[in-house]
Amino acid sequence: MTGYRLQSGGSGITRDEPLRFTWDGEACQGVQGDSLASALMSCGKRTVARGFKYHRPRGIMSAGPEEGGALVTVGEGARREPNAKTPCIELYDGLVATGQNAWPNVRFDLGQVNDVFSRFFSAGFYYKTFMGVGRGTWEWMQFEKIIRRAAGMGAASHEADPASYEYVHDFCDVLVVGSGPAGLAAAEACVAEELDVMVVEQDFALGGSLLACTGQVEGQLAPAWLTARLEALKGARLLPRTTAFGLYDTNVVGLYEKVTDHLAHPHEALPRGRIRIVRPGRIILATGALERPIAFGNNDRPGCMLAHGAQTYVNRFAVAPGKQAVIATNNDGAYASAMALEAAGINTTVLDVRPNGHAAAEEAAGAGVKVRAGYVPVRAQGSKSATGIEIGPMENGHARSSDRIFTDIVAMSGGWSPAIHLVSHRGVKPVWDAEHCCFVSGEPPEGVALTGSAAAQFSTERCLDHARATAEDAIHALTGRRTRNAERPDPGGWETPIHALWEVTLKDEKLKSFIDPQHDVTTEDVRLAAREGYASVEHMKRYTTLGMATDQGKMGGVIGLALLADALEQSIPETGITTFRPPYTPVPIGAFAGRASGAHWKPIRRTPFHEVLEETGFRFLDVGVWKRAWWQKTRPDEYLDSAYVRETRNVRERVGMVDVTTLGKIAVQGPDAAEFLNRVYVNGFGKLPVGKCRYGVMLRDDGIVFDDGVTWRLGEEEFLMTATTAHAATVMAWLEMLLQSRWPDLRVHVASTTDQWAGVAVAGPRAREVLQPLLTGDLSNEAVPFMGILQAEMKVEGGTIPVTIARISFSGEQAFEVMTPADWGPILWKTLAPAVEAAGGSPYGVEALGALRIEKGHVTGAELDGRVTLEDAGLGKMASSKKPFIGNVLRKRPDLTREDRPQLAHFVPVNDGERFSIGAIVCENGKIEGHGIGWITGVTVAPVLDDKWLGIGFVAGGPAAWEGKTVTIADPVRGRNTEVRVMSAHQYDPKGERMHG
């Protein structure tokens, strides 16, 4: 033995391929095939973590995802990943790992002072800390700061994740989850019948328990049997480093595949991970079983670990967990681990709570293992790591400490829990098997089967027989063929029955025994929860945090349930089990996003004018999925705050042009199109003349305003409806639903045409002056009055393009909306822009557009937020009294017609130079509390008010109650209050003379 690396053995490592890594700043070395846990163990690193509450030292406790102690931080900078389980991390050259939840380091942690005061940190201590303390008081704030600072284990990076991830949708005939003996046997049987088979394995090597086995399987040495099975599976898709994290409705399986976590220098084109959404014909869950610890004094010390974990480190990684070992057990399964350690030169003693005389003990004794029947572990010795163990016999339900063994490994095997988590995700209730002291699966859903240890088969031979029978059923279901009449063995496999042993106690002394080593949950915490009334397993879980750590109760969950049942003096089935939920093991959040991150988080839609606007200095704003022109930078020292005021003033005094392509555009066609619109809008559209357009508002069924827009009548049976950018998709879906489910008799067809049209609004006193010379048609006031439509040709370089022009205004000025097919968009802009600039105007963006509409008092989605009525928005007079329309009845409910409802108004600061913000609360003077009497939805510098600050929003009773009076706009988030005067929302050109001129 060199250090802790054995001189021989190690089926999973390549000794002549050293790998360098860093642990807490110290240079260390492992070999190819190591996990981080085995590499640390080979370097003699025993304390690698600290517990959550008490900061007691923690070592490596297992060799799989059930690890509850050895959690570390892997990587640096933006690639830092906290709470990584060391047994699940594949070692690579250059890996950087550090301890966490400790200061100055995990070897010497000042936080361990908490252990001295552990009696004050029992279950529910954070709830009790706040009892009697008034919220908001100084005491509350101090306790809250302390607890928040102590919360959590490792620290995630604050930088954006630089990795990429992928989604893949996959299909197969048979999905086998797990590549142990049962999984491989089932997969081989299915491949032999030419089925499309996918085998997934969470480990980075295929083989499951065979990787830690040196004995024989079906007459072959385990490594040879494994090699033969993998050779037979060349026709299958084998996916190591892939975890089945969830089983969902219709048997959809979620897989997470680690693609580059094991590579020192991954190719930049490769994703870090890949989520596979698999829809298999049949699912075989060969997920194995999880070994359980035993609760005894100080069972969390470094050196205390699971027996099969110790066997795995010896046989697979050729690493000795220590020099001497004691294995405490209550079942036959631990004896293989004992013999593996003894064969590696580690003096091993087995403490078996059961009496003498069973075959497994005799075989182990023949191999040199010392067996002490009837003995149990009482208390681990040693402060920083295990140096010995007090042992003793059981008497009347308690142990009697009678002896001490010097050892640096205390391995435990308290039984095995079938890994039935995935099938439980489908709502299958676990069933308690008292004979084998474990929960087994209830009847699985159609198309899903469990096999091997997941079906409580506790010997390799029985696992193989069960797996082949399970595969036979899958083959028959998919092909109709049967090749053999295999029978499934009943659960079991041990020659001597297991003896239920959850906790070792002393009659006259309390032991500090842990069942959740990550969250520092002790056996006494469970009993305390029961005494304090937390009798439900779900309540106990949340009160103690048992099973809420990253292992999700895999290590100590069953022990906690058994102890709760004992404390409540009821059986385990009566007590029940907590609910298993996906994911089975942690999955990076970025993987669920896949490629939908950064600029790819959602689709990006650009208008036909985007490139030409970008070339002319426009900055862009994300509005939903659209990139909208925000403001134009015309000189190096110009920024938003001055640019949009300049653009606004240009429109008011001369002329401006703005991209309005993003407005939703919906073609409404058919003989009943006018009748359909009549029912949808609150105002009448049935008699709208061809060549005219009209502003309309539609309500939801409950009488609340849904959306507004202008609808153009292009023909007797043809309308073009415009909707707000924000609600375009929902309006379209609403119209389709109405036609399909409410009024299928109407002869109407609707289609989204938003992408077919490019639109520019030309607004300002000189708008007609700019447009008329470019058109073949007459744009005079007589030919195209307000709300009129003109279909014409526009003269452009090289010819003409078709345009449809509507005289409508969102700015309050004379304005025309010019629509042309999208392909002609760029040439339309390039033709209009010089004409606008020649008239002294300029293009403008959505910031100026917002300023113009606030000055005019027009509403947008900011006001129509799903709680506003027609009257609230000042649009009540639009509602027709001569026809029915959606929402007409419910809009008249008493609560929606109260005079004191918040209604639209303008707000101007009393003191020049003061400002307020969107989202601020309108309050009565001297009553800065509660919900106030209104809120602010938009703010701007208003050139029409000599550049004063102007806000639009709502105030209870509206201008009728408050016009000319002062109120206070409270902004507790920004810490300022502003006295403002309430004004009518129609301050600018209230008679509409400018837009009608």
Side-chain angles (χ1 to χ4, degrees):
M1 184 186 299
T2 303
Y4 287 86
R5 181 76 71 182
L6 301 174
Q7 294 180 355
S8 62
S11 62
I13 64 170
T14 305
R15 295 173 183 269
D16 57 357
E17 293 188 31
L19 299 176
R20 295 171 295 278
F21 70 100
T22 301
W23 165 245
D24 256 355
E26 179 185 347
C28 299
Q29 183 171 296
V31 296
Q32 185 68 44
D34 263 333
S35 67
L36 177 58
S38 65
L40 287 170
M41 192 176 287
S42 73
C43 296
K45 308 301 180 185
R46 295 179 68 80
T47 299
V48 297
R50 291 279 167 167
F52 171 56
K53 285 194 296 186
Y54 307 136
H55 289 249
R56 289 163 64 101
R58 295 281 185 268
I60 297 163
M61 307 188 79
S62 74
E66 67 272 25
E67 179 63 46
L71 272 67
V72 301
T73 295
V74 176
E76 297 177 290
R79 296 185 182 275
R80 186 171 73 239
E81 178 187 347
N83 302 327
K85 301 172 185 288
T86 54
C88 302
I89 301 168
E90 185 174 357
L91 190 68
Y92 60 84
D93 198 59
L95 182 147
V96 175
T98 55
Q100 57 184 36
N101 192 42
W103 189 85
N105 55 59
V106 293
R107 296 173 298 285
F108 178 74
D109 179 16
L110 292 178
Q112 193 171 351
V113 69
N114 287 2
D115 196 28
V116 178
F117 302 100
S118 59
R119 62 189 297 264
F120 299 108
F121 295 105
S122 59
F125 78 94
Y126 28 76
Y127 304 119
K128 297 167 186 173
T129 301
F130 292 107
M131 290 179 64
V133 179
R135 186 174 180 84
T137 62
W138 183 88
E139 292 86 354
W140 172 287
M141 299 303 292
Q142 303 318 303
F143 284 131
E144 185 177 45
K145 287 178 183 178
I146 293 171
I147 290 178
R148 285 190 182 279
R149 192 177 296 118
M153 296 284 285
S157 172
H158 288 228
E159 301 175 53
D161 186 354
S164 63
Y165 301 88
E166 288 182 348
Y167 262 90
V168 173
H169 289 268
D170 231 327
F171 304 85
C172 61
D173 293 328
V174 180
L175 174 67
V176 179
V177 181
S179 70
L184 295 178
E188 183 182 18
C190 294
V191 168
E193 294 301 311
E194 299 183 345
L195 295 177
D196 180 14
V197 178
M198 181 184 293
V199 181
V200 300
E201 170 57 57
Q202 64 189 356
D203 203 333
F204 55 86
L206 300 170
S209 62
L210 294 173
L211 298 173
C213 179
T214 57
Q216 291 195 343
V217 179
E218 296 185 316
Q220 290 181 286
L221 288 175
W225 189 92
L226 173 58
T227 300
R229 298 293 77 71
L230 295 179
E231 181 69 23
L233 291 177
K234 283 188 175 179
R237 284 179 282 170
L238 306 180
L239 295 176
R241 306 182 183 92
T242 303
T243 300
F245 62 79
L247 177 60
Y248 303 93
D249 290 347
T250 68
N251 291 344
V252 173
V253 183
L255 309 178
Y256 177 64
E257 178 185 4
K258 297 178 180 179
V259 179
T260 60
D261 279 0
H262 63 293
L263 301 177
H265 304 289
H267 193 283
E268 60 182 11
L270 291 175
R272 177 192 176 192
R274 183 181 291 126
I275 281 188
R276 292 180 180 267
I277 307 299
V278 184
R279 294 168 174 83
R282 282 292 186 272
I283 300 171
I284 297 177
L285 299 178
T287 47
L290 301 172
E291 195 170 25
R292 297 191 299 262
I294 298 169
F296 57 87
N298 295 337
N299 63 330
D300 63 322
R301 287 283 186 251
C304 295
M305 63 191 310
L306 297 177
H308 189 265
Q311 177 185 345
T312 299
Y313 289 112
V314 166
N315 285 346
R316 176 178 173 181
F317 300 109
V319 174
K323 307 294 185 182
Q324 287 188 280
V326 169
I327 297 180
T329 189
N330 63 350
N331 67 86
D332 288 358
Y335 284 92
S337 301
M339 289 187 287
L341 267 62
E342 186 70 33
I346 303 170
N347 294 325
T348 304
T349 301
V350 173
L351 308 177
D352 194 334
V353 68
R354 301 172 299 177
N356 275 319
H358 54 84
E362 293 174 1
E363 182 183 1
V369 176
K370 303 177 186 65
V371 179
R372 302 189 68 165
Y375 274 74
V376 293
V378 176
R379 177 165 39 205
Q381 302 293 310
S383 58
K384 294 183 178 180
S385 65
T387 58
I389 181 76
E390 293 179 32
I391 66 172
M394 294 287 287
E395 297 175 354
N396 299 320
H398 297 285
R400 175 174 58 83
S401 180
S402 62
D403 199 356
R404 178 179 178 183
I405 299 176
F406 292 98
T407 180
D408 54 357
I409 308 171
V410 181
M412 304 164 278
S413 181
W416 293 80
S417 297
I420 58 175
H421 301 69
L422 289 175
V423 76
S424 299
H425 294 172
R426 286 292 310 276
V428 177
K429 297 294 184 184
V431 178
W432 179 249
D433 182 341
E435 181 181 354
H436 300 101
C437 292
C438 64
F439 281 97
V440 296
S441 172
E443 184 64 28
E446 179 67 26
V448 180
L450 294 96
T451 192
S453 298
Q457 303 296 325
F458 296 123
S459 74
T460 301
E461 293 74 15
R462 295 168 72 97
C463 284
L464 296 176
D465 290 343
H466 194 281
R468 288 165 180 149
T470 302
E472 178 70 17
D473 289 345
I475 294 166
H476 181 259
L478 293 170
T479 68
R481 300 191 299 269
R482 280 200 181 275
T483 58
R484 67 180 78 182
N485 293 315
E487 294 184 4
R488 289 184 181 81
D490 294 329
W494 294 319
E495 293 187 16
T496 306
I498 187 173
H499 176 90
L501 178 64
W502 313 111
E503 179 189 18
V504 175
T505 59
L506 293 173
K507 185 176 182 179
D508 300 319
E509 182 182 354
K510 284 187 177 180
L511 300 172
K512 183 169 283 190
S513 307
F514 290 84
I515 50 179
D516 187 328
Q518 184 179 337
H519 273 187
D520 284 346
V521 180
T522 66
T523 56
E524 184 56 33
D525 287 332
V526 175
R527 283 188 281 269
L528 177 63
R531 290 196 300 271
E532 296 188 351
Y534 295 92
S536 161
V537 291
E538 296 289 358
H539 291 164
M540 180 273 288
K541 171 182 175 178
R542 286 154 180 79
Y543 192 62
T544 64
T545 72
L546 170 64
M548 295 175 67
T550 57
D551 76 306
Q552 291 290 285
K554 293 181 181 68
M555 182 165 281
V558 174
I559 300 176
L561 301 177
L563 295 179
L564 179 64
D566 180 67
L568 297 174
E569 298 182 349
Q570 60 189 28
S571 68
I572 292 177
E574 289 175 314
T575 306
I577 187 172
T578 54
T579 302
F580 296 131
R581 296 184 177 90
Y584 174 68
T585 53
V587 177
I589 293 176
F592 289 109
R595 294 187 178 185
S597 62
H600 304 288
W601 177 63
K602 55 185 177 182
I604 296 176
R605 302 184 70 180
R606 297 178 175 88
T607 74
F609 306 118
H610 186 91
E611 289 186 5
V612 66
L613 290 170
E614 195 169 33
E615 290 169 0
T616 55
F618 265 96
R619 302 301 189 260
F620 293 89
L621 180 69
D622 291 330
V623 180
V625 296
W626 287 98
K627 291 284 186 183
R628 296 200 67 181
W630 188 8
W631 59 281
Q632 186 184 32
K633 192 179 185 72
T634 59
R635 59 179 191 273
D637 61 342
E638 187 174 41
Y639 295 97
L640 172 65
D641 55 353
S642 61
Y644 88 88
V645 176
R646 170 184 55 78
E647 293 171 1
T648 303
R649 186 172 285 111
N650 272 340
V651 176
R652 292 280 181 240
E653 298 176 359
R654 290 171 291 277
V655 65
M657 57 185 288
V658 62
D659 180 2
V660 294
T661 304
T662 62
L663 287 175
K665 292 174 280 293
I666 301 171
V668 183
Q669 300 174 339
D672 297 325
E675 171 60 21
F676 176 56
L677 295 174
N678 232 21
R679 298 181 187 183
V680 170
Y681 282 123
V682 303
N683 46 330
F685 277 79
K687 297 181 181 180
L688 178 65
V690 175
K692 287 283 191 176
C693 52
R694 180 168 294 164
Y695 175 70
V697 179
M698 59 181 72
L699 306 183
R700 302 188 317 217
D701 285 317
D702 60 1
I704 297 297
V705 175
F706 178 25
D707 196 47
D708 69 339
V710 176
T711 294
W712 311 12
R713 189 163 196 171
L714 305 177
E716 285 295 332
E717 299 180 0
E718 182 179 3
F719 294 81
L720 178 65
M721 173 191 289
T722 65
T724 59
T725 299
H727 290 158
T730 52
V731 168
M732 181 66 193
W734 171 245
L735 298 181
E736 289 180 323
M737 185 278 292
L738 293 175
L739 290 172
Q740 291 174 19
S741 62
R742 297 197 191 179
W743 305 317
D745 56 312
L746 289 182
R747 295 167 297 169
V748 180
H749 179 78
V750 295
S752 174
T753 61
T754 300
D755 293 336
Q756 277 66 50
W757 295 96
V760 174
V762 182
R766 299 180 183 175
R768 185 184 287 113
E769 175 186 325
V770 167
L771 284 170
Q772 184 62 80
L774 301 174
L775 300 175
T776 59
D778 183 6
L779 201 62
S780 66
N781 199 50
E782 293 73 25
V784 187
F786 185 65
M787 303 303 271
I789 298 173
L790 172 67
Q791 292 187 326
E793 298 284 323
M794 177 173 285
K795 304 167 190 175
V796 299
E797 184 178 355
T800 62
I801 61 172
V803 293
T804 302
I805 301 174
R807 187 178 168 190
I808 51 183
S809 176
F810 190 60
S811 62
E813 302 296 332
Q814 181 187 96
F816 302 86
E817 287 191 6
V818 184
M819 297 288 182
T820 192
D823 287 347
W824 296 111
I827 192 64
L828 173 65
W829 189 275
K830 290 178 181 179
T831 300
L832 287 173
V836 167
E837 291 169 5
S842 66
Y844 62 100
V846 292
E847 192 72 24
L849 185 70
L852 291 163
R853 75 92 184 173
I854 291 173
E855 290 180 335
K856 182 61 180 173
H858 283 162
V859 293
T860 65
E863 287 74 42
L864 308 182
D865 61 358
R867 51 181 172 168
V868 173
T869 67
L870 281 171
E871 287 72 17
D872 297 343
L875 303 172
K877 293 181 180 179
M878 290 183 60
S880 173
S881 60
K882 299 179 181 179
K883 70 176 183 73
F885 54 86
I886 292 175
N888 187 35
V889 175
L890 292 182
R891 79 183 183 91
K892 299 174 182 177
R893 287 175 290 166
D895 192 60
L896 299 188
T897 57
R898 296 192 336 262
E899 291 184 357
D900 64 342
R901 282 183 60 84
Q903 297 176 25
L904 196 69
H906 269 149
F907 303 87
V908 178
V910 171
N911 300 315
D912 289 346
E914 290 191 338
R915 295 188 173 190
F916 49 91
S917 301
I918 295 173
I921 303 168
V922 180
C923 302
E924 293 185 61
N925 291 338
K927 297 182 179 179
I928 314 300
E929 58 186 19
H931 297 286
I933 58 173
W935 61 94
I936 302 300
T937 58
V939 293
T940 186
V941 169
V944 298
L945 296 180
D946 298 325
D947 290 347
K948 289 184 178 179
W949 196 246
L950 175 66
I952 192 170
F954 294 86
V955 64
W962 291 95
E963 188 168 10
K965 299 179 182 179
T966 62
V967 295
T968 298
I969 294 183
D971 195 342
V973 173
R974 299 171 183 85
R976 65 179 183 228
N977 298 329
T978 309
E979 187 177 5
V980 299
R981 184 169 288 105
V982 180
M983 304 164 63
S984 165
H986 306 292
Q987 289 297 300
Y988 181 68
D989 190 24
K991 295 182 180 180
E993 294 170 343
R994 293 179 68 89
M995 62 184 182
H996 286 86

